C-alpha cells in the first residue's frame, strides 16, 4: 500500500519548496495537497470532492500549516483528533509564525510535532529530512481495528 | 479627627462670653456700690451736721442756765431715737457734764471730716456751744456707721446676685447657640473629611436658611458635582482603556501578520534563489552567482530584522514574572557561548561573581545577550579585547554595568542609542539591525529601571543599568 503524505498548505511557493525538499531527501511518497482547512477535513473525512475516495486509508503523516483560509490549522487539528478514524494519525504543525501561543495550543490539541519553517532553504531541507526520517521511516503507527 | 475640647469653637465662644460678662458686670457692680456708699455717707454727714447744729443750739440755752439735768434729759431723748452712739458735753474748763452711750472715748477722739473717710466704727464730730458770742463748752458726738455699712452690704449682695444670674443666663444662651452652630460645623467638618477620603455619597441635612443652611446646601451641590465629575472620569477611563485594549489587540494581530506574512515571501526569495543556484548554477557566470548570493544575504538580513522586531514587540506585551536571577551566571554562560561560536578571537572576560537581581529571567536574558553581544561585536577590531560585567553603586542602589574597550561611539549621538532602527555604525563596519538596544531599553523600562551609557570613540563603551 502506497503511503500518502497530506500537505495542507495554501501558499503555492511553500508548496513547491516543500515538495522539492522531499524530493531532495529522496522521500518519494505521494503528496496530496489541500489548499485550505476545509479541503483537508473533506479529504480526511471523505466529504465533498473527496466523497468518492477509497475508504479506510489515512495519510502516513499530515503536514499542517497554521494560517489557512476557511478553517485554520488549529481547527483542522481539533477535527482530526475528534474523529475516531483519524485520531491517531501523526500531525506535524508547520508554520512561519513563532508565536508561543500557537505552539502551546498545537500541543494541547494533540499535535505530534511542531516545526517553524526556516527561511534559509538549506535549513528547510534539513528540517524536512529529519521529519521524513522520523515520521515516515522510524515511527510505528498503531493499527486501527 | 478629634479637636481637643479647649480648642473647640464651643469652648472659645463660651469662655469669651463668660470673661466679658464677668469684667463688665464687675465694673458695673463696683461703680454702683461706690455710688451707693457715697450717697449714704453724704446723708449721714448731713444728718450729723443738722443734729449737731440743733443740739448745739438747745444745749447753749441749758448751759447758760447751768441746767445740766435738762441737758442730760434732752441728750437721752436724742440718743434713743438716732444712730448716735455716744454724746459727751464738756464745759470750757473741760468739766464733763453729759456722758452717754456706748464705747465713749476717754479723751477727745480725733474729729472725722466726713463719714467716707472714717477708719473705725464711728463718725466722730465736735462743735462749740456758744451763745451770743460767748463760748460755753464743747459737744462731742459719735455716729455709728453700722446702719450705713449694713445698707451698702445688702446692696452689694443684691448686685452680686443679679450679676451671677445674668452670667448664668448668658452662658446658657451661648451654650444653646454654640451647640447649634458647632454641631452643624462639626457635621460639615465630618462630611468634608469623608469627601476628602473619596467617599462621595455624603449629604448634609439642610436646616433653615441661615448661613449654616446655605453652606450645607452649597456643600451638597459641590459633592454632587464632584460625584458627577468622578463618574464622567471613570467613564472616560473605561472608554480609553477599551480603546487601548483595541489598539493592543490590533498590534498583536499586526505583529502576528508580520511574523507570518512577511516571512513567507522571504522564504520564497531565499528558497528559489537557492534552487536557481543548485539547478542552474553551472549556467551562470560569476556576476550572476554574486547577484544570487546578494539576494540570499538580503533575505537573511530581513529575517534577522523581522525576528528582532518581533522580539521588541513581545517584550512590550509579555507579563513580568519576577524571580531572583543570578546575572553573573548568565554573563558567564553567554560569554562562554560567544567564545565557543567565535573561537578565533582572544577576548579577556571579567565577570564579578554573585550579582543577583529580582527580575524576569527571560527578559533579562535578552538584556544581557544584547549588551554582552554588543560588547563582543564592537570589540572585534581591537587587539586585546576586554569585556567586563560588574556592579557599582549609585544613589544607594546597585548599578550593573557591561564594559568593553572596543569601538565606542560619539556621546553626541547618545539620544539615538536606544531608539529602534537607529545605528551609530555603518552596516559594512559592524552588522546589526539597530533594534537590540531599543529592546534592552524597553525591558529595563518595564522593570521601572534605567539604562544609560558612557563612551568614547576608539576607547570603548560602558552600559549602566539598574532595575
Amino acid at each position: 500500500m502506497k503511503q500518502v503524505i497530506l500537505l495542507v498548505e495554501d501558499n503555492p511557493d511553500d508548496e513547491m519548496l516543500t515538495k522539492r525538499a522531499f524530493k531532495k531527501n529522496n522521500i518519494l511518497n505521494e503528496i496530496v495537497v489541500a489548499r485550505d482547512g476545509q479541503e483537508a477535513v473533506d479529504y480526511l473525512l471523505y466529504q465533498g470532492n473527496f466523497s468518492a475516495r477509497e475508504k479506510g486509508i489515512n495519510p502516513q503523516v499530515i503536514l499542517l500549516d497554521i494560517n489557512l483560509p476557511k478553517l485554520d490549522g488549529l481547527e483542522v487539528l481539533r477535527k482530526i483528533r475528534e474523529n475516531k478514524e483519524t485520531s491517531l494519525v501523526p500531525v506535524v504543525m508547520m508554520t512561519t509564525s513563532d508565536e508561543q501561543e500557537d505552539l502551546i495550543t498545537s500541543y494541547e490539541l494533540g499535535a505530534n510535532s511542531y516545526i517553524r519553517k526556516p527561511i534559509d532553504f538549506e535549513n528547510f531541507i534539513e528540517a524536512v529530512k529529519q521529519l521524513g526520517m522520523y515520521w515516515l521511516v522510524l515511527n510505528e503507527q498503531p493499527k486501527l481495528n | 479627627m478629634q479637636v481637643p475640647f479647649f480648642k473647640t469653637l464651643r469652648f472659645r465662644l463660651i469662655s469669651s462670653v463668660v470673661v466679658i460678662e464677668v469684667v463688665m458686670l464687675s465694673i458695673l457692680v463696683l461703680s454702683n456700690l461706690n455710688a451707693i456708699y457715697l450717697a449714704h455717707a453724704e446723708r449721714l454727714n448731713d444728718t450729723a451736721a443738722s443734729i449737731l447744729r440743733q443740739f448745739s443750739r438747745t444745749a447753749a440755752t441749758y448751759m447758760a442756765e447751768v441746767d445740766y439735768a435738762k441737758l442730760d434729759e434732752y441728750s437721752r431723748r436724742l440718743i434713743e431715737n438716732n444712730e448716735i452712739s455716744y454724746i459727751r458735753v464738756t464745759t470750757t474748763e473741760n468739766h464733763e457734764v453729759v456722758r452717754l452711750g456706748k464705747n465713749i472715748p476717754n479723751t477727745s477722739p480725733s474729729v472725722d471730716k466726713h463719714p467716707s473717710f472714717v477708719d473705725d466704727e464711728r463718725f466722730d464730730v465736735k462743735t462749740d456751744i456758744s451763745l451770743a458770742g460767748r463760748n460755753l463748752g464743747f459737744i462731742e458726738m459719735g455716729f455709728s456707721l453700722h446702719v450705713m455699712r449694713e445698707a451698702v452690704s445688702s446692696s452689694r449682695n443684691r448686685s452680686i446676685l443679679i450679676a451671677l444670674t445674668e452670667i448664668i443666663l448668658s452662658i446658657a444662651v451661648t451654650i444653646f447657640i454654640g451647640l447649634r452652630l458647632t454641631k452643624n460645623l462639626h457635621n460639615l467638618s465630618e462630611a468634608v473629611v469623608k469627601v476628602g477620603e473619596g467617599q462621595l455619597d455624603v449629604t448634609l441635612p439642610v436646616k433653615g436658611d441661615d448661613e449654616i443652611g446655605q453652606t450645607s446646601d452649597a456643600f451638597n451641590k459641590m459633592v454632587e458635582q464632584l460625584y458627577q465629575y468622578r463618574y464622567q472620569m471613570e467613564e472616560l477611563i473605561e472608554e480609553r482603556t477599551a480603546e487601548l485594549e483595541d489598539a493592543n489587540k490590533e498590534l498583536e494581530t499586526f505583529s502576528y501578520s508580520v511574523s507570518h506574512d512577511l516571512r513567507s515571501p522571504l522564504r520564497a526569495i531565499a528558497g528559489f534563489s537557492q534552487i536557481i543556484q543548485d539547478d542552474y548554477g553551472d549556467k551562470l557566470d560569476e556576476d550572476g552567482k554574486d547577484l544570487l548570493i546578494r539576494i540570499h544575504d538580503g533575505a537573511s538580513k530581513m529575517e534577522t530584522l523581522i525576528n528582532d522586531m518581533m522580539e521588541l514587540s513581545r517584550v512590550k506585551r509579555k507579563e513580568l514574572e519576577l524571580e531572583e536571577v543570578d546575572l553573573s551566571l548568565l554573563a558567564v554562560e553567554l560569554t562562554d557561548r560567544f567564545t565557543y561560536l567565535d573561537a578565533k578571537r582572544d577576548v579577556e572576560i571579567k565577570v564579578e561573581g554573585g550579582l543577583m537581581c529580582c527580575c524576569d529571567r527571560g527578559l533579562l536574558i535578552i538584556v544581557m545577550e544584547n549588551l554582552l553581544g554588543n560588547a563582543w561585536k564592537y570589540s572585534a577590531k581591537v587587539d586585546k579585547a576586554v569585556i567586563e560585567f560588574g556592579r557599582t553603586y549609585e544613589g544607594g542602589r546597585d548599578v550593573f554595568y557591561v564594559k568593553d574597550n572596543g569601538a565606542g561611539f560619539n556621546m553626541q549621538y547618545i539620544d539615538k542609542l536606544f531608539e529602534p532602527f537607529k545605528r551609530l555604525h555603518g552596516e559594512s563596519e559592524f552588522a546589526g539591525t539597530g533594534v537590540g538596544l531599543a529592546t534592552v531599553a524597553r525591558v529595563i523600562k518595564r522593570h521601572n529601571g534605567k539604562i544609560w551609557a558612557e563612551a568614547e570613540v576608539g576607547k570603548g563603551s560602558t552600559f549602566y543599568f539598574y532595575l
Side-chain angles (χ1 to χ4, degrees), chain B residues 1 184-200 202-204 215 219-220 222-223 226:
Chain B
M1 186 179 54
N184 287 321
L185 263 179
H186 184 68
N187 286 345
L188 186 64
S189 111
E190 258 187 9
V192 169
V193 168
K194 274 187 190 165
V195 170
E197 284 165 354
Q199 216 176 311
L200 291 187
V202 186
T203 316
L204 282 177
T215 308
F219 175 81
N220 287 341
M222 183 189 82
V223 171
L226 265 179

Side-chain angles (χ1 to χ4, degrees), chain B residues 142-196:
Chain B
F143 288 84
S144 166
L145 290 185
H146 183 69
V147 176
M148 176 183 120
R149 292 213 166 129
E150 194 88 316
V152 171
S153 139
S154 91
S155 282
R156 186 186 59 214
N157 290 347
R158 221 172 26 248
S159 299
I160 289 174
L161 191 72
I162 291 171
L164 279 179
T165 313
E166 193 186 333
I167 288 174
I168 289 168
L169 271 178
S170 46
I171 287 176
V173 170
T174 313
I175 286 177
F176 175 74
I177 295 174
L179 268 182
R180 181 175 142 67
L181 190 71
T182 54
K183 186 167 177 287
N184 287 321
L185 263 179
H186 184 68
N187 286 345
L188 186 64
S189 111
E190 258 187 9
V192 169
V193 168
K194 274 187 190 165
V195 170

Side-chain angles (χ1 to χ4, degrees), chain B residues 388-458:
Chain B
E388 198 181 333
F389 172 66
R391 173 179 56 183
T392 170
Y393 301 96
E394 201 178 295
R397 48 158 65 96
D398 285 358
V399 175
F400 304 106
Y401 65 88
V402 173
K403 187 176 182 180
D404 68 67
N405 62 344
F409 58 86
N410 190 335
M411 287 296 277
Q412 196 184 331
Y413 305 116
I414 188 90
D415 294 350
K416 295 191 172 174
L417 202 59
F418 297 105
E419 274 182 49
F421 305 111
K422 294 276 160 67
R423 302 204 64 222
L424 303 185
H425 297 277
E427 184 68 21
S428 55
E429 205 179 350
F430 293 103
T433 57
V435 183
L437 281 180
T439 309
V440 168
R442 196 164 281 179
V443 171
I444 302 289
K445 196 175 166 192
R446 293 235 23 215
H447 283 82
N448 295 322
K450 197 184 161 194
I451 183 164
W452 67 100
E454 283 167 11
E456 198 179 325
V457 175

Side-chain angles (χ1 to χ4, degrees), chain B residues 136-420:
Chain B
L136 298 174
F138 303 98
I139 301 171
E140 287 167 314
M141 286 175 108
F143 288 84
S144 166
L145 290 185
H146 183 69
V147 176
M148 176 183 120
R149 292 213 166 129
E150 194 88 316
V152 171
S153 139
S154 91
S155 282
R156 186 186 59 214
N157 290 347
R158 221 172 26 248
S159 299
I160 289 174
L161 191 72
I162 291 171
L164 279 179
T165 313
E166 193 186 333
I167 288 174
I168 289 168
L169 271 178
S170 46
I171 287 176
V173 170
T174 313
I175 286 177
F176 175 74
I177 295 174
L179 268 182
R180 181 175 142 67
L181 190 71
T182 54
K183 186 167 177 287
N184 287 321
L185 263 179
H186 184 68
N187 286 345
L188 186 64
S189 111
E190 258 187 9
V192 169
V193 168
K194 274 187 190 165
V195 170
E197 284 165 354
Q199 216 176 311
L200 291 187
D201 52 354
V202 186
T203 316
L204 282 177
V206 180
K207 278 187 215 148
D209 49 5
D210 56 8
E211 290 92 330
I212 290 167
Q214 284 178 2
T215 308
S216 302
D217 192 36
F219 175 81
N220 287 341
K221 279 181 184 148
M222 183 189 82
V223 171
E224 199 182 315
Q225 286 252 313
L226 265 179
Y227 185 80
Q228 278 183 4
Y229 281 139
R230 184 161 84 176
Y231 181 73
Q232 283 172 3
M233 194 64 98
E234 274 169 4
E235 248 186 2
L236 198 68
I237 289 171
E238 248 169 56
E239 224 171 81
R240 290 282 186 278
T241 311
E243 277 172 20
L244 212 63
E245 270 168 12
D246 281 354
N248 248 340
K249 221 174 196 115
E250 228 164 79
L251 191 73
E252 250 169 75
T253 318
F254 172 74
S255 51
Y256 188 92
S257 324
V258 166
S259 80
H260 187 274
D261 297 351
L262 286 189
R263 273 208 186 98
S264 290
L266 258 189
R267 205 169 36 253
I269 295 168
F272 293 126
S273 59
Q274 180 72 45
I275 293 171
I276 292 175
Q277 206 173 338
D278 289 353
D279 294 4
Y280 305 98
D282 49 351
K283 291 176 190 155
L284 288 171
D285 58 10
E286 285 309 306
D287 277 355
K289 280 179 191 161
D290 181 55
L291 290 173
L292 271 181
I293 288 169
R294 281 172 191 271
I295 291 172
H296 190 263
D297 286 354
S300 301
K301 219 171 284 170
M302 179 125 177
E303 188 191 15
T304 319
L305 201 58
I306 291 171
N307 288 344
D308 286 355
M309 266 172 64
M310 289 309 302
E311 189 164 81
L312 182 66
S313 107
R314 248 201 308 276
V315 162
K316 207 168 143 192
R317 287 178 290 147
K318 189 180 183 300
E319 294 261 337
L320 290 189
E321 292 164 32
L322 298 182
E323 57 180 308
E324 277 293 311
V325 177
D326 190 339
L327 295 182
S328 301
L329 194 66
L330 259 182
V332 169
E333 282 171 2
L334 286 164
T335 47
D336 279 356
R337 203 178 80 205
F338 296 149
T339 316
Y340 172 76
L341 290 173
D342 200 356
K344 297 187 299 291
R345 285 187 57 188
D346 174 29
V347 179
E348 188 188 344
I349 311 277
K350 294 182 190 166
V351 174
E352 189 179 332
L355 301 187
M356 308 291 289
C357 172
C358 183
C359 55
D360 185 297
R361 176 182 290 279
L363 293 184
L364 256 286
I365 288 176
I366 295 174
V367 169
M368 296 296 284
E369 197 170 14
N370 271 292
L371 293 181
L372 289 167
N374 280 349
W376 187 271
K377 181 161 71 180
Y378 292 110
S379 63
K381 293 176 184 172
V382 294
D383 291 338
K384 277 252 11 105
V386 182
I387 294 173
E388 198 181 333
F389 172 66
R391 173 179 56 183
T392 170
Y393 301 96
E394 201 178 295
R397 48 158 65 96
D398 285 358
V399 175
F400 304 106
Y401 65 88
V402 173
K403 187 176 182 180
D404 68 67
N405 62 344
F409 58 86
N410 190 335
M411 287 296 277
Q412 196 184 331
Y413 305 116
I414 188 90
D415 294 350
K416 295 191 172 174
L417 202 59
F418 297 105
E419 274 182 49

Side-chain angles (χ1 to χ4, degrees), chain B residues 1-5 8 186 190:
Chain B
M1 186 179 54
Q2 193 63 46
V3 182
F5 177 70
T8 54
H186 184 68
E190 258 187 9

Side-chain angles (χ1 to χ4, degrees), chain B residues 103-141:
Chain B
N103 306 324
I104 306 158
N106 291 323
T107 53
S108 294
S110 55
V111 172
D112 294 314
K113 274 197 171 129
H114 194 272
S116 50
F117 301 132
V118 175
D119 51 7
D120 56 7
E121 287 301 306
R122 284 182 314 246
F123 174 42
D124 300 301
V125 288
K126 187 180 182 179
T127 189
D128 307 337
I129 307 170
S130 50
L131 191 68
R134 193 163 60 94
N135 195 5
L136 298 174
F138 303 98
I139 301 171
E140 287 167 314
M141 286 175 108

Side-chain angles (χ1 to χ4, degrees), chain A residues 11 13-14 16-17 20 24 65-67 95-99 102 116-122 124, chain B residues 256 259-261 263-264 266-268 270-272 274-275 278-279 296 299-300 303 307 310 314 317:
Chain A
N11 183 334
D13 289 342
D14 280 354
M16 188 175 161
L17 290 170
R20 188 177 167 92
K24 281 264 172 190
D65 191 14
I66 286 190
N67 245 7
T95 177
T96 343
S97 102
D98 54 358
E99 285 291 313
D102 281 350
R116 190 160 77 85
K117 293 185 234 174
I119 284 175
D120 195 277
F121 192 55
E122 298 285 338
F124 189 50
Chain B
Y256 188 92
S259 80
H260 187 274
D261 297 351
R263 273 208 186 98
S264 290
L266 258 189
R267 205 169 36 253
F272 293 126
Q274 180 72 45
I275 293 171
D278 289 353
D279 294 4
H296 190 263
S300 301
E303 188 191 15
N307 288 344
M310 289 309 302
R314 248 201 308 276
R317 287 178 290 147

